[in-house]
Structure formats: C-alpha cells, structure tokens
Amino acid sequence: MAEEKALNDQMVARRQKMKALVDDLSIDPFGHRFDRDALAADLHEQYDEKTQEELEANPVEVIIAGRMVAKRGAGKVIFADVRDRSGEIQVYARRDDLGDNYPIIKRADLGDFLGIKGQVMKTEAGELTILVKHLTHLSKALRPMPDKFHGISDVETRYRKRYLDLIANKESLTRFQNRSKIVSAIRAFMDGHDFLEVETPILQTQAGGAAAKPFITHHNALNIDMYMRIATELYLKRLVVGGMERVYEIGRIFRNEGMDPKHNPEFTTLESYAAYWDFTDVMDETEGIFRAAAKVVHPDLQVNYQGTDIDLSKPFARKHMVDLIKEKTGVDFWPEMTVEEARQLADEHHVKYERYWQVGHIINEFFDNFVEDTLEQPTFVYGHPVEVSPLAKKNADDPRFTDRFELYIVGSEFANAFTELNDPIDQRARFEAQAAERDNGNDEAEGIDEDFLEALEYGMPPTGGLGIGIDRLVMLLTDAASIRDVVLFPTMRPE
C-alpha cells in the first residue's frame, strides 16, 4: 500500500502496461538473453553513404537491441529511435508487416528495451532506418525517463543518480567512455616500456607516502586500527628493493580531507617506479604518458580546456621553482638566508606562514601564492625545498632543494615525481623531522615507517618515481570543470 501511494500517474500506467504484457501477450516483462549482430554506430558507418536504391537492390538484415528513446506516430505505423552503447538508430514498424507482434512496440514506453530484427533501408528523407520484421520485448522501464532525454540540468541529480545522467546526457556517457580509453592507453604505454603492473594493500597498518589525513578503521580480528591508503608509494618502493625494477599501479587513493572541484575523498592515481632512473628520465616518461592518453581523445594533441588552448605536442617547459618565483615577484631565494629573513620577505608580500615553518616551507608558499595559477602550458616545476619533499633525494649541487618536479597545466598540478631518496639514514632523519612537525601542529605530516626503513637498509637502487592524478588528467582531456564530472559515483552527503 505504501508503495502504491508513492506512485505517480505515469508509474501507475507503466505498471498496468507491464501487467498487460503478461495477461494479453504472455510476455515476460523483464526478458531473457538476446543475440544481436549489429551496433548502431557500425550500421551508420557502413550504410550512411548508401543510397535508397542501393540498399533496396542489396538487402541487408540485421539484429539490434537497445533502449527506445523516442517514439513517433500511431495507428498502423510507428517510428522509434533505439539507443545502444554505440549510439542511436531509427526503426520503422508497420502493423501490416508485424501482425500479432506489432502491439509490442505500440504499447512500449520510452525507456523500454527492445530486440529488433529487420532490414536496413533509407527513408524518403534519407535517414538510415531499420524496417522492423520482428520484435522482442526485453525489459520494461517502470519509471519515466528523465526530461524526455533532453538532458538532466540539475547537478545534484546527475551526481547522485549517475545512471540517469548516462541515459539522458550523451556528453556524460561519451566522457566516461573516453575515461576508460585514456586509462587503457596509459596501461598500454606503461606495459610497452617494460613496467609491470602490480597491486598493493589498500588497508594499511600505517598511512604514509604523502602528506594527507587518512580514513581510519578497525580490524576486529586483529584488534588494531588500520588506515585506507593515502598513497601507493612506500609499498611500490619495497618492490623495487625486491628486484622488480619497473613497477606501476593504477588504483584508488583515500584522503579524509575537503571537497572541491579538484578534490574527492577517493580518487585514482598512477604511480610508477623505475630503477636506475632519475627525475629527468621521469619527465620524459610523463610526457610520453600524457601524449599517449591524449591521442585517444585528441589525435592532434591540441586540447581546449575551459577556453584555454593547450598544446601537448611540444616539449614541456622545465623551470626551477626559485626561478619562477623570481620571475613573478622579483623575490630571489637563491642566496642562503635565515628563517627570520624568509619570514620578513613573507611579511612584506603578505604570505602567511606557520610557526614551525622553515625557509623551504616559505619558498613553497610563495610558489603556491604567486606562480601556480599562472602556469597555463605544460610546465615541469623542479627544485622543491627539502622541507616539503620528505621522500625525494637532495640535489647534489644545492642540498637545500630536491630532485623533484611537479607538472602544472592550466594552473593545476597533474603529476608529482622525484629521484627517490634511497639513503635509509637520511630517510630516517626526514621522517623524524616530519614527526616533529606533527608534534608542532601539522596533522598531515608523516610518521616514521620502521618497516619501510628496514627495507631501504637492504638497498634500493637509484630510482625515479612518478605519481599522476588520473581524474585530473581525464578532466583536462574531456574539458570537465569538476572532478565529479569524471568520477562515476562521487562522494555525496546523504540526502
């Protein structure tokens, strides 16, 4: 009774039609397995250029299946549009041809799934069409389709009910199809360069590999707290220690932090590690990955993102962080200075800082405030201060900085990479400095991972590591303004 009260008139009518399928036609409203031999896009590709006369002279029979998304006509003749995973095609049903089979399409509602056997033809208007010879009812839609397939404009509905978004918005369906192609292209690139795809733990006993707040859970059998991983880095490096010289993982990461157009609590990254490489080799790798991914969507490597033209065909710029700060602000951090001198520069330029910050933290904040948003074309920014790079190797010529880079495009970070720190003594000191920061109020600082330090003590070869945000890359390549537009089921507050 409660369910019946919740039904509107359209839903009641659809249930009545469902009952009529059983009572009048002895048809199961929710169908069975069906063999088709053609997709809409393939038919358009093969026959759109054929004339009406050519198709009549060489008749072709096909079997298609899909959701009915439009319906025109009544009485003895009905035209309908049927959509499958590749696109849409028109069908033409005549009562004189179908006889007792005709009521299936006559009674069908928008959203119903139909199986159709018919002949390829052209209408007088020149539209490729399937002349229906036999119909099979495959599934009844008990709710009306959104906005008659004109799209869903309400953003909340699009994110909460992605299935309706995919039904109603062709742009969304295409974007997610392209996402899969992009990820496949990345895998093909990595596999083609002798990287081995692996899987590492999502539940971990210690969160590490990034400065981020973890989600915490409890394992009842072991009676211990565990953490959803905030990065795959430390486990992948263990594999390099073990002799897997080139490894990568594409997987979910979880961070218990804020949400905005660029951040979702769970997201996807690519991380890779290559023995005997340094961060300059990884720059070359990164360019290769971006071009391989872009080609499946933009074969000419020209991308327009939110009105900005991006050229991925040219070599990416490579600039030191301190040089960029000097270009934008005139402030020169190359000479060595005390924390007090750096704080004075920060005060003069209205840059806020925390009490535990060292010179490197302030340099990084200058970059964030004055440079990051200005980098439109692909730019590798290297030379991050050691204070903000606890897992990167120090630069041999100037140990204040590390051999690390981040890739920026249209003012956003897309990749983070460095020559990995493989000195266990230095790594312990960095971890201890991070632990001290945590004690001084930085709740995103890493703790000391004793197991990882032990692994390093067995020896890790010089290694170049890379992390790429897959979601942001898909945003760039599909012109999506929000990360929620490229994550099928983004995190939402319960209604």
Side-chain angles (χ1 to χ4, degrees), residues 54-272:
E54 286 173 324
L55 291 173
E56 289 175 354
N58 299 284
V60 177
E61 285 205 347
V62 296
I63 302 173
I64 65 170
R67 189 191 291 271
M68 187 174 73
V69 298
K71 184 179 177 182
R72 303 170 291 280
K76 297 181 179 180
V77 173
I78 290 174
F79 284 90
D81 295 335
V82 174
R83 178 187 297 169
D84 60 27
R85 69 171 185 263
S86 71
E88 297 177 13
I89 193 164
Q90 179 173 268
V91 301
Y92 172 39
R94 299 184 299 208
R95 187 172 68 181
D96 290 346
D97 294 332
L98 295 172
D100 294 341
N101 201 222
Y102 187 69
I104 291 177
I105 195 166
K106 186 173 182 180
R107 300 183 183 186
D109 290 307
L110 297 188
D112 289 359
F113 283 86
L114 302 174
I116 296 162
K117 180 179 180 180
Q119 182 177 322
V120 181
M121 59 167 283
K122 281 278 184 77
T123 63
E124 292 297 330
E127 183 171 356
L128 190 70
T129 302
I130 306 299
L131 175 61
V132 182
K133 299 293 185 67
H134 188 270
L135 282 162
T136 303
H137 177 86
L138 296 176
S139 187
K140 184 69 186 170
L142 297 181
R143 287 177 178 265
M145 292 298 100
D147 196 27
K148 298 181 180 179
F149 293 85
H150 294 151
I152 300 175
S153 58
D154 181 67
V155 173
E156 285 285 310
T157 300
R158 290 178 59 195
Y159 297 152
R160 291 185 185 279
K161 300 180 180 180
R162 181 67 78 187
Y163 51 92
L164 294 182
D165 178 40
L166 297 175
I167 291 171
N169 296 320
K170 185 177 180 180
E171 179 185 356
S172 288
L173 179 61
T174 300
R175 175 174 288 125
F176 285 107
Q177 289 171 332
N178 283 334
R179 178 184 175 119
S180 292
K181 293 176 183 178
I182 289 166
V183 173
S184 294
I186 293 171
R187 280 199 167 93
F189 179 89
M190 301 303 290
D191 295 343
H193 287 77
D194 298 326
F195 282 83
L196 184 68
E197 185 174 13
V198 297
E199 295 177 313
T200 60
I202 292 175
L203 279 177
Q204 302 179 354
T205 56
Q206 180 167 344
K213 295 179 183 178
F215 287 94
I216 305 173
T217 186
H218 189 79
H219 191 292
N220 292 333
L222 295 178
N223 193 28
I224 58 171
D225 285 342
M226 299 192 77
Y227 305 87
M228 302 289 282
R229 69 183 178 196
I230 58 174
T232 55
E233 177 167 345
L234 299 186
Y235 278 97
L236 290 172
K237 287 181 181 178
R238 287 170 169 89
L239 298 181
V240 177
V241 170
M244 291 185 175
E245 294 183 352
R246 294 188 184 185
V247 293
Y248 77 97
E249 181 170 10
I250 297 175
R252 279 291 215 231
I253 301 298
F254 307 86
R255 296 182 182 176
N256 196 357
E257 299 174 341
M259 298 168 60
D260 61 34
K262 295 180 182 178
H263 296 89
N264 192 63
E266 59 174 313
F267 56 98
T268 303
T269 65
L270 160 74
E271 283 204 41
S272 73

Side-chain angles (χ1 to χ4, degrees), residues 262-312:
K262 295 180 182 178
H263 296 89
N264 192 63
E266 59 174 313
F267 56 98
T268 303
T269 65
L270 160 74
E271 283 204 41
S272 73
Y273 294 86
Y276 312 112
W277 283 12
D278 68 8
F279 77 119
T280 60
D281 298 300
V282 181
M283 287 182 181
D284 296 335
E285 175 196 0
T286 305
E287 287 195 38
I289 290 170
F290 269 67
R291 292 195 183 102
K295 279 182 180 177
V296 299
V297 186
H298 305 282
D300 61 358
L301 299 179
Q302 304 303 306
V303 177
N304 183 279
Y305 182 74
Q306 302 293 294
T308 300
D309 291 325
I310 307 299
D311 187 353
L312 296 177

